[in-house]
């Protein structure tokens, strides 16, 4: 069984920063891709940032230059550093990992979501 636990969300003023973390635990063999998505009220979930092992890193146009996705392989953790936050960044943020378990199960796993609110 695999679990993803997110943390780091909260209330921040415009122009501020937050760092989200997503820790994966369980019978993980390998992680091939990881991403952060967000969903604002009344809107569809959208991709924020994505990186794959040995592949490119992609960002939504709206966050380029402000957000950075990174990983700690040893700790099965993915981060999202968010700088120069804007009210439009307000949403529930979800991490997504594409991974393989030690018993050969492959698939996409989601965190529970963490609320980010940007407001003065």
């Amino acid at each position: 069984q695999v679990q993803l636990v997110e943390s780091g969300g909260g209330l921040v003023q415009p122009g501020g920063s937050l760092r989200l973390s997503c820790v994966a635990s369980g019978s993980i063999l390998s992680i091939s891709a990881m991403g952060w998505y967000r969903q604002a009220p009344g809107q569809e979930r959208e991709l924020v940032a994505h990186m794959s092992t040995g592949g490119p890193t992609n960002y939504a146009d709206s966050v380029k230059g402000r957000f950075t996705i990174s990983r700690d392989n040893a700790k099965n953790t993915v981060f999202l550093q968010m700088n120069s936050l804007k009210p439009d960044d307000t949403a529930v943020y979800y991490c997504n990992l594409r991974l393989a378990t030690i018993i050969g199960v492959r698939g996409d796993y989601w965190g529970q979501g963490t609320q980010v609110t940007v407001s003065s």
Side-chain angles (χ1 to χ4, degrees):
Q1 188 174 358
V2 175
Q3 280 191 317
L4 274 58
V5 178
E6 301 166 7
S7 62
L11 173 64
V12 63
Q13 292 186 342
S17 298
L18 285 174
R19 189 190 194 206
L20 306 183
S21 299
C22 175
V23 180
S25 62
S27 305
I28 299 169
L29 177 63
S30 63
I31 299 173
S32 57
M34 49 192 60
W36 287 94
Y37 294 72
R38 67 186 181 187
Q39 187 167 19
Q43 298 187 20
E44 295 186 352
R45 190 173 298 187
E46 64 174 356
L47 175 67
V48 175
H50 180 271
M51 66 188 304
S52 57
T53 301
T57 299
N58 300 304
Y59 295 93
D61 288 343
S62 59
V63 307
K64 283 181 181 177
R66 300 188 298 122
F67 290 12
T68 303
I69 187 172
S70 61
R71 63 191 290 180
D72 183 335
N73 292 329
K75 297 181 179 180
N76 286 335
T77 301
V78 59
F79 304 97
L80 184 68
Q81 178 66 44
M82 306 186 293
N83 299 326
S84 302
L85 282 161
K86 305 175 181 179
D88 284 349
D89 296 318
T90 296
V92 178
Y93 284 71
Y94 300 88
C95 66
N96 170 272
L97 300 186
R98 177 162 296 176
L99 57 84
T101 69
I102 61 175
I103 61 171
V105 176
R106 297 177 181 269
D108 287 332
Y109 293 80
W110 291 89
Q112 81 284 1
T114 185
Q115 177 70 47
V116 172
T117 302
V118 184
S119 175
S120 55

